[in-house]
Structures are given as C-alpha cells and as structure tokens.
Amino acid sequence: MLTLFQSHLNLRRLILALALSVALITLVNGFYSTYQVQREKLIQDSLENNRAYATKLVAGTENFLNDAQQQLAYAAKIVQDKMDDNDFLSREAERLRLQTHSFNSVAIIDNQGLFRAVSPETLGLVGKTVTSKNSIRALTEQKPLISDPFLSRKGNLLIFISQPIFNSQGIYLGYVGGSLYLKSRSVLNDILGRHFQQDGSYLYVIDRNKRVLYHPDKARIGTIAKTNEAIESVLAGESGVAQITNGDNVQMLAGFYPITKTNWGVVAQRPVSATLDSLDGLISEVIYRTLPFGVITFIFIWLLARLISKPLQQLADTAKTLDSPTTQSSLNEVHTWYFESSQLKKAMATGVNLLQMQIGQLRHDSQTDPLTGAHNRRSLDLSVNQLIKFKTPFSVLEIDIDFFKRINDNFGHDVGDETLITLTKIIQKMSRRDDIVARVGGEEFILILPNENTDTSLVIAERLREKVAHTQLENIGNITVSIGIATWPKHSSDIDQVYKLADKALYLAKEQGRNRCMVTGARSNFN
C-alpha cells in the first residue's frame, strides 16, 4: 500500500501545497499579530491621551479655584475696614461678581451670620441670617473653605467658596463668599465644557460622594454615578487609566486624575469602538501592500519546488526500470541524495525503534523500585494525582515491617532484600488490578486502595497483616507488619496531610505493640 501510494505521489504538488500552506499561515498570523499590536497601541494611546487630558483639566480647574480664592482674599482685605459701610460692601460684592464672572453670586456676611451685602440683589438675602450648613461652617471654622456640592433653598446645585475677614488687630469680622452654580453657565463650566468630540468621547466630574458635578448631559448633573474602577481609583486619590463599562453599558477607555483641593475626580473617556474604527482601514491597507510580495513569494516557492522535485522524479522513474541493464548508469547520472535520504530514513526507523525501547525501559526504571519491582515514590505521586484529578476517593495503607533492622543485623542485607521482595509479592498478590503498590522507604510500603472507605480498607489491611504473619520465610521464619490507614478526602483533602495521618496511625500501631492495623483518629484496632 505504501509503495503504491509513493508511486502515485506528485512530490512537486506536495511541496507546493506545503509551502503555500506555510506561507498562508504565516501571512494570516502576521495580519493577526499586526492587528493585535495595533489594537493594543491604539487602546494604550487613547488611554494615555484621556489621562493626559484629565490631568490638564484638573490643572485648569485647580488654577481657577486658586484664582477664585485669591479674588475673595483680596476682597476680604478691601472690606476689613469697611464692614459698617453697607453701600461700600454692596459695591464690592457687585464688583467681585461682575469683574471676572468667576462666581454666580457673591455675599458678604458678618461675624453674627448676617448678610451685609449680596450680588445680585435680587436674591433678597440682605439683612437675613445664614442658615445653611456650609455658611455656618464658614463662620465656625474661620478659615478659607471650598464646600462640598449642595442644593440651595431654590434647588440649585452649587459649591460655595469662602474667605474669612479679619481686621488689622486679627479680630474675626465675618467672611466673603462666592457661589458657583454647577448646572448654570460659569467659568468652571466653561473650563470643563471645552472637551467635545463627535465620536462619543466625553468627560465628567464627581465629588467624593460620587455625585456628578459636571457632565455633557445636564440631566446627569447632581445624580450619583454608577461605580466603576476609574471612579473608585480617582476618589482614592489615584491617577491612571482603566478599561471600564459606563452606565449605558458601553465599553470605554478612561483616563482619570483627582482634584486634591476639593476631593473631586475628573474622568475623561472614549468608546473602545471609536478608538478602533481606524484599525480596519489600516489592516486593509497592510493586506493591499503585502499582496504583491505574497505573489512573488509564491512564484519563488513554485520554482524552488520544481528544482527539488526534478531529481526525485528522476529517481522515481529509474525505480520503474530496476530490471533494466541501464539502471545502474541511470542511477549514476542522478544525484543520489534521494537514495541516501531513503537509507537515512531506514536507519532512522531502526534508530527510533531502538530509542523507543530504551525510552520504555527508562520509563519503567524511573517509575519502579529496582529491588522489588513495585512503584517508586515518583510513580506513586503520578498515580495518586490522577485519582485526585478525577475525584476518586481512596485509602492509604502505610505498611512497615516490624523489627526489620534485626533481620539485616542477624541475617545480613541479602536476606533483608529477599524479605522485601517476598513482602512485595504478598502485597501484589492480595491487591486488585487498580490498587497501587509502592515502596517509599527501606522497609516502608504504601498500598493505595481506590474507591475503598475506611471500614473496608481496615478489613483489607487486617487480611494482609494476617497473611504476612502466617507466611513462612526461608532462613528467618515469620515476619509481621504494622499498618496505618487514612482515607482521602474523608480525613483530609490535602494528600500530604493524608500521608501524615497514615504515618501517625502507623506509629501508633508500633507503639501499641506492632503487628496491628490502626486507622487515623482511632484509639485501637483489632490485631
């Protein structure tokens, strides 16, 4: 069959098919690798751009807040000696509101909490006493403050920035404060609102309570943001990037940076889909540019296949005329590398067979005890790991020959070795096909009983102990064994712990007089 197949095999086509397959696989792998690399680069660049933009906006916001505090501080110095001049205070409040448009409203309040001046006057607060928590806090703490966002009596979401007023003797006179309406036009809104793109990118600002302070969708301002990795990190004072899912279940690439001055966080984000839009066109361009080189490569492979197949075809044609007197001369005219490769193949086949035999012997030697032929520790561990992998319960019988040292001392090590071999044969003879018999020490053996519980394992162990005790050994007579028993996973799901428990049970059997079986955790067992 093989000869018939070889006689009809077109090697040139085989080489072409193989080379073409390799070329196509390489090409597809190259495109895939290019796509993945470019995709990762686009994502990383977008993440970093968003982080940089968030950082920039934070810097602008902090500069604005610093400027606002400086304006209030300057106004506080101007009015410190004019607190009794209501007309002056009104003019100063109006100037402070209109000069830079930093504030939506401005108020000057004395140390009794009384509104002395308010701009715009339409608020109608002059002569009234402050009642809001943030206003009272400014009176109490007597230091520069930026409040948490809160709702005013008229339902406006705002923040309040205040600056204490002290006279030249350091006596506290009150404070001057300005409010920023987060849902209305303000300088802060202008700073944050510059970020606008048509691809779904946007940014938002949250306070430490996850309340949205700025969002392109004004309906979201004042609501509580859905928690994600970016929000958790930025409110913890961290800056960085993250791939997240926004409240509309859209995959986003977010960069974030905290505003430490107010415990706010700025998150700038862009949809993953928008980031990767350009990638499809890039891959198409790569394919278009690669195609000519692919055609050239195929032509080269075709020519190379012809060169390789020509001498092989000559050898195949010569093989058809082996009975011809001209065969030898024909072979001499052909490059003999095919003949040599055929011989090499035969030699390799012989060598592989020999190697497999040697590997099999090495595998056997590596997994068995050279003296007794039982499994060694390595083979035991492999077998037990398979049982654990398939969750097959099993019992561990740790077997030790009683007073084995006396046998070696009194009769010599050769007799001791014969004793170990005889014991192995007894254990193997009494074992089932799936049981595992292993020698793990000088006179220590382990018998693994798959699918056996503690009770049946104790019966089997007792039967084995009695068999050993009643077996007559040449030169030394009888020997006895002590057996410790533990079960996986009943006694422990950790196999090392099961071995330790079986070992402890074995030592307890030794302590109680030897020639007995002990289950871990039991005080005594019949003997």
Side-chain angles (χ1 to χ4, degrees):
M1 178 67 71
L2 181 60
T3 303
L4 181 63
F5 176 74
Q6 288 177 335
S7 66
H8 290 84
L9 179 64
N10 189 323
L11 186 61
R12 181 171 61 185
R13 294 178 181 176
L14 179 62
I15 294 174
L16 279 172
L18 179 62
L20 185 59
S21 298
V22 172
L24 288 175
I25 291 172
T26 303
L27 195 62
V28 171
N29 182 65
F31 288 150
Y32 178 77
S33 299
T34 300
Y35 177 85
Q36 291 298 324
V37 169
Q38 291 298 324
R39 181 180 188 277
E40 186 65 23
K41 187 175 186 305
L42 285 173
I43 288 176
Q44 292 301 321
D45 287 348
S46 183
L47 287 169
E48 183 58 30
N49 289 339
N50 287 336
R51 187 198 66 80
Y53 194 78
T55 304
K56 178 181 178 181
L57 288 177
V58 166
T61 301
E62 288 187 332
N63 287 337
F64 164 73
L65 293 174
N66 288 331
D67 289 345
Q69 287 184 310
Q70 290 176 1
Q71 293 175 44
L72 293 174
Y74 179 76
K77 286 187 174 296
I78 293 176
V79 302
Q80 66 180 3
D81 297 325
K82 302 285 187 177
M83 287 298 289
D84 293 329
D85 189 342
N86 290 335
D87 290 337
F88 180 83
L89 296 179
S90 295
R91 289 194 300 273
E92 182 59 22
E94 190 76 3
R95 179 198 66 79
L96 187 59
R97 181 176 69 87
L98 298 177
Q99 184 173 10
T100 62
H101 298 286
S102 296
F103 306 103
N104 293 99
S105 64
V106 174
I108 301 175
I109 300 166
D110 65 20
N111 55 10
Q112 301 301 313
L114 190 67
F115 283 96
R116 301 295 299 276
V118 177
S119 177
E121 295 181 354
T122 55
L123 293 176
L125 296 176
V126 175
K128 297 182 179 179
T129 302
V130 298
T131 57
S132 68
K133 178 178 67 174
N134 290 291
S135 298
I136 295 173
R137 179 187 171 197
L139 284 173
T140 304
E141 297 189 17
Q142 299 181 9
K143 64 180 181 181
L145 293 175
I146 299 177
S147 73
D148 289 333
F150 64 96
L151 287 173
S152 69
R153 288 182 297 179
K154 294 186 177 181
N156 292 316
L157 182 65
L158 55 87
I159 61 171
F160 188 67
I161 305 175
S162 63
Q163 181 73 25
I165 303 171
F166 295 94
N167 64 16
S168 57
Q169 288 78 36
I171 298 174
Y172 179 69
L173 303 177
Y175 65 86
V176 56
S179 63
L180 292 172
Y181 294 176
L182 298 179
K183 289 188 177 183
S184 303
R185 176 71 183 274
S186 67
V187 175
L188 180 59
N189 257 304
D190 290 343
I191 294 173
L192 299 175
R194 293 171 187 168
H195 180 92
F196 180 78
Q197 297 184 18
Q198 297 294 334
D199 60 0
S201 300
Y202 65 92
L203 68 84
Y204 58 91
V205 182
I206 53 173
D207 68 7
R208 58 184 172 184
N209 297 315
K210 302 180 183 177
R211 185 194 298 272
V212 178
L213 306 182
Y214 173 80
H215 195 284
D217 181 3
K218 293 188 179 297
R220 299 285 297 275
I221 298 175
T223 62
I224 301 300
K226 182 180 178 181
T227 298
N228 58 49
E229 181 183 348
I231 290 176
E232 293 293 338
S233 298
V234 77
L235 292 184
E238 302 173 5
S239 63
V241 298
Q243 296 191 42
I244 62 172
T245 301
N246 68 5
D248 297 323
N249 291 321
V250 177
Q251 294 292 320
M252 306 293 287
L253 303 174
F256 50 87
Y257 204 91
I259 303 177
T260 55
K261 191 178 189 66
T262 56
N263 292 321
W264 297 352
V266 175
V267 180
Q269 54 190 23
R270 186 186 188 193
V272 174
S273 57
T275 301
L276 301 180
D277 277 347
S278 62
L279 188 56
D280 292 338
L282 176 64
I283 294 300
S284 298
E285 183 68 17
V286 171
I287 294 175
Y288 176 76
R289 293 180 180 272
T290 305
L291 190 59
F293 294 99
V295 173
I296 293 172
T297 301
F298 177 75
I299 294 173
F300 174 76
I301 292 173
W302 178 72
L303 293 174
L304 186 62
R306 291 194 62 185
L307 290 175
I308 294 173
S309 63
K310 183 176 180 180
L312 298 178
Q313 186 62 50
Q314 291 175 339
L315 286 174
D317 293 339
T318 303
K320 298 177 183 179
T321 59
L322 291 178
D323 57 346
S324 172
T326 62
T327 299
Q328 185 61 47
S329 60
S330 298
L331 286 174
N332 292 335
E333 293 175 0
V334 179
H335 294 293
T336 56
W337 68 271
Y338 179 76
F339 175 78
E340 293 173 351
S341 65
S342 176
Q343 294 302 306
L344 178 61
K345 180 180 179 180
K346 293 179 181 179
M348 290 179 62
T350 303
V352 167
N353 289 333
L354 179 60
L355 181 62
Q356 290 298 324
M357 291 176 60
Q358 292 175 340
I359 290 174
Q361 185 62 42
L362 288 173
R363 183 180 294 112
H364 179 269
D365 292 343
S366 69
Q367 295 182 352
T368 58
D369 174 56
L371 175 63
T372 64
H375 291 275
N376 59 16
R377 170 62 78 172
R378 179 176 179 273
S379 178
L380 172 67
D381 290 342
L382 291 173
S383 300
V384 167
N385 287 339
Q386 286 297 308
L387 293 174
I388 294 174
K389 178 181 178 181
F390 293 103
K391 299 182 180 180
T392 303
F394 58 88
S395 289
V396 176
L397 275 61
E398 188 163 334
I399 306 165
D400 187 85
I401 300 176
D402 297 328
F403 304 111
F404 182 72
K405 186 175 184 299
R406 295 181 186 178
I407 297 175
N408 282 332
D409 293 342
N410 295 334
F411 303 98
H413 287 280
D414 290 341
V415 174
D417 290 345
E418 286 298 325
T419 301
L420 294 172
I421 294 172
T422 300
L423 177 59
T424 302
K425 292 179 179 178
I426 293 172
I427 298 173
Q428 290 175 335
K429 186 176 181 181
M430 297 189 66
S431 300
R432 302 163 302 178
R433 183 180 65 179
D434 294 333
D435 295 344
I436 303 167
V437 181
R439 181 186 177 202
V440 295
E443 69 275 19
E444 294 183 8
F445 294 80
I446 284 181
L447 175 59
I448 302 296
L449 303 176
N451 293 309
E452 292 292 349
N453 58 34
T454 304
D455 294 335
T456 57
S457 298
L458 178 59
V459 173
I460 294 171
E462 183 61 23
R463 189 184 304 143
L464 174 61
R465 181 193 65 78
E466 291 180 354
K467 178 65 177 178
V468 173
H470 291 92
T471 299
Q472 194 73 17
L473 277 70
E474 187 178 354
N475 297 324
I476 63 174
N478 300 89
I479 63 171
T480 61
V481 294
S482 299
I483 303 176
I485 305 169
T487 302
W488 182 93
K490 175 183 177 182
H491 292 127
S492 175
S493 59
D494 183 353
I495 184 59
D496 291 331
Q497 184 63 23
V498 173
Y499 285 143
K500 291 179 182 179
L501 293 173
D503 191 62
K504 289 182 180 179
L506 172 63
Y507 277 99
L508 183 58
K510 296 281 190 183
E511 292 175 356
Q512 293 190 5
R514 294 181 170 81
N515 189 24
R516 64 184 64 231
C517 303
M518 296 292 298
V519 176
T520 181
R523 296 191 175 183
S524 63
N525 297 107
F526 56 91
N527 62 4

